Amino acid sequence: MSVIAPKFKLSEFIKSLLDNAFWILLLLVLVGIPAISILLFAIEMPVINGELLTPFLALTWIADPSRTLPIIKAFMATDIFRVMAFPGFGFAALLAAGTIFVERKMLAKLQLRVGPFYCGKVEGILQLMGDGLKLISKEIIIPAKADKPIFWAAPVMFVGAAAAFVALIPVAPGWVVADVDLGLLGVFAVIGFFPIITILSAWSANSKFPFIGGIRALFQMVSFEIPLILSLLGVVILTGTLNLSEIAASQSSFPWIVFLPVGAVVFFITMLAELERIPFDLPEAESEIVAGWLTELSGMMYGLVQLGTYLKLYAFAALFVVLFLGGWNGPMVVPPFPAEIITDGIVMGPITAKIPGLPVFTQEMLNGTLWFVLKTVGVIFFILLPRGVFPRIRIDMLLSLGWTKLIGLAFVNIFIALGLLYAGVLGPGGLQ
């Protein structure tokens, strides 16, 4: 008997939104505010600007934007904020969580998977929390005779390498965790750690299934890393720099994909292979070797690897945007902030509120971040799409594609870049 998925109804969706908003507000009022009040009175408060931060003073600052905004802006300029919140781990993890949700719903639409249509409230967004609670509560099982130190360390190293990858990607002018002159070389160095971590994790489990998956992953990553690196040399030749912020800024007139489409295609295909996404998911082939090198990982050890996988997916998509799609460059869609907001304050009816510190972000920052996020989300969609429409290829086809065709196309891309530079199309006197 065939099962037909229910149709989307806007009225039911709005009703579920209001239903959940009601319960969230009720819990916030009954539990959240009393808990924060008890916490503020119980802990020892620090001294800020010569004033002891008492609970009453903290509440005064919260209610007075003219005192809160300068503190917030000063905190946003610190390295801790950039690493933990934006554009570092918090921002990347939020996009990664959204990617998991979109992937589940998109595959359900493409392949008529019934479960995601019914599971969870608000279009199934609560399923993410359910998955997280399940992973946290599951027992972590260590295989017999496993190399325990390496087995424990591998998932942590995987997340650490993915976070280091994220730290090198600029989001907007001046907004990057680590703005280094040799940023592209740093990316290659971080990517080189993933095969090592994968094979170490597979070997330390002392099981044939993870080991077979690990060997497959090693073959795949090594055979595709060479065309991956070669495909980026065209951009380096045209820009003359390895700094990712300067590469993004150099595309203010045209994105490099206009001049180097072959390099962009090669990079996208190798990116799918590095991410072990379909049609290159041989290391995890569920029907052949259970789950590949992840077979013996359980509980939050598996959860850490999944978190690192989606952080890596976001970082690769963002790198594609920076290298080929112009990074944060785009038409100015955010209107300029009126000068009177900064000098005279905001007029709200009969009241004029003078709030120093506004705006919190500059116009360039907001516009750049908007374009960067839109482009990155678009690239992530095209990374997810093959999982719903392509079958898995054989390993001999995979190795032949990596070692012959893609390397040849990568060299064609280098010759195109050299031709554009020496023909005067680009560079001094050219278009860019």
Side-chain angles (χ1 to χ4, degrees), residues 319-344:
L319 182 64
F320 186 87
V321 170
V322 169
L323 293 173
F324 292 105
L325 298 183
W328 59 75
N329 291 293
M332 195 67 77
V333 293
V334 177
F337 301 119
E340 55 268 22
I341 288 181
I342 304 172
T343 57
D344 301 331

Side-chain angles (χ1 to χ4, degrees), residues 111-287:
Q111 300 177 339
L112 199 58
R113 297 185 179 189
V114 178
F117 285 117
Y118 292 101
C119 191
K121 290 191 173 183
V122 195
E123 288 292 298
I125 197 169
L126 296 182
Q127 181 67 29
L128 293 175
M129 302 178 194
D131 288 345
L133 289 174
K134 183 184 74 174
L135 288 174
I136 291 172
S137 59
K138 286 185 76 173
E139 180 186 6
I140 295 177
I141 301 172
I142 308 297
K145 299 181 181 179
D147 192 311
K148 293 181 181 177
I150 296 178
F151 190 77
W152 276 101
V156 179
M157 288 191 294
F158 196 87
V159 175
F165 193 175
V166 171
L168 294 168
I169 307 298
V171 170
W175 278 96
V176 56
V177 175
D179 188 15
V180 294
D181 290 338
L182 302 179
L184 198 55
L185 281 183
V187 168
F188 294 150
V190 172
I191 293 173
F193 277 107
F194 289 111
I196 300 172
I197 297 171
T198 301
I199 195 66
L200 279 176
S201 176
W203 170 80
S204 64
N206 193 31
S207 170
K208 62 183 178 183
F209 294 110
F211 190 69
I212 294 172
I215 292 294
R216 283 191 181 189
L218 184 65
F219 282 158
Q220 180 169 314
M221 292 181 184
V222 171
S223 61
F224 278 79
E225 273 188 12
I226 295 174
L228 173 73
I229 295 172
L230 290 176
S231 67
L232 302 182
L233 289 184
V235 175
V236 176
I237 291 170
L238 294 180
T239 58
T241 179
L242 292 170
N243 186 299
L244 292 174
S245 297
E246 293 178 3
I247 290 174
S250 68
Q251 302 170 74
S252 57
S253 300
F254 298 97
W256 291 126
I257 194 172
V258 174
F259 302 102
L260 302 172
V262 177
V265 170
V266 173
F267 181 78
F268 187 83
I269 295 173
T270 53
M271 180 171 64
L272 287 179
E274 287 289 330
L275 292 170
E276 300 175 18
R277 305 284 307 183
I278 287 179
F280 307 111
D281 70 327
L282 278 78
E284 298 181 21
E286 295 178 358
S287 58

Side-chain angles (χ1 to χ4, degrees), residues 280-328:
F280 307 111
D281 70 327
L282 278 78
E284 298 181 21
E286 295 178 358
S287 58
E288 301 164 25
I289 49 176
V290 188
W293 62 280
L294 305 173
T295 303
E296 301 294 348
L297 296 176
S298 57
M300 271 311 292
M301 295 184 75
Y302 179 81
L304 283 176
V305 174
Q306 287 300 313
L307 174 63
T309 301
Y310 280 94
L311 287 177
K312 186 180 169 186
L313 186 150
Y314 156 72
F316 263 113
L319 182 64
F320 186 87
V321 170
V322 169
L323 293 173
F324 292 105
L325 298 183
W328 59 75

Side-chain angles (χ1 to χ4, degrees), residues 19-36:
D19 187 24
N20 285 277
F22 169 77
W23 286 108
I24 290 172
L25 287 174
L26 189 65
L27 288 174
L28 183 64
V29 172
L30 295 180
V31 179
I33 294 179
I36 293 173

Side-chain angles (χ1 to χ4, degrees), residues 337-410:
F337 301 119
E340 55 268 22
I341 288 181
I342 304 172
T343 57
D344 301 331
I346 302 174
V347 178
M348 296 179 291
I351 303 172
T352 300
K354 295 184 178 180
I355 305 176
L358 283 177
V360 177
F361 297 100
T362 64
Q363 183 190 16
E364 291 76 16
M365 168 71 179
L366 288 175
N367 197 74
T369 304
L370 175 66
W371 280 110
F372 178 85
V373 172
L374 285 177
K375 293 175 184 177
T376 304
V377 169
V379 174
I380 288 175
F381 174 79
F382 283 103
I383 292 174
L384 302 181
L385 187 62
R387 185 174 176 184
V389 296
F390 283 118
R392 181 185 306 130
I393 67 172
R394 298 195 314 267
I395 193 166
D396 61 312
M397 298 166 65
L398 180 144
L399 295 177
S400 171
L401 178 67
W403 286 110
T404 58
K405 298 179 179 63
L406 291 182
I407 287 182
L409 288 174

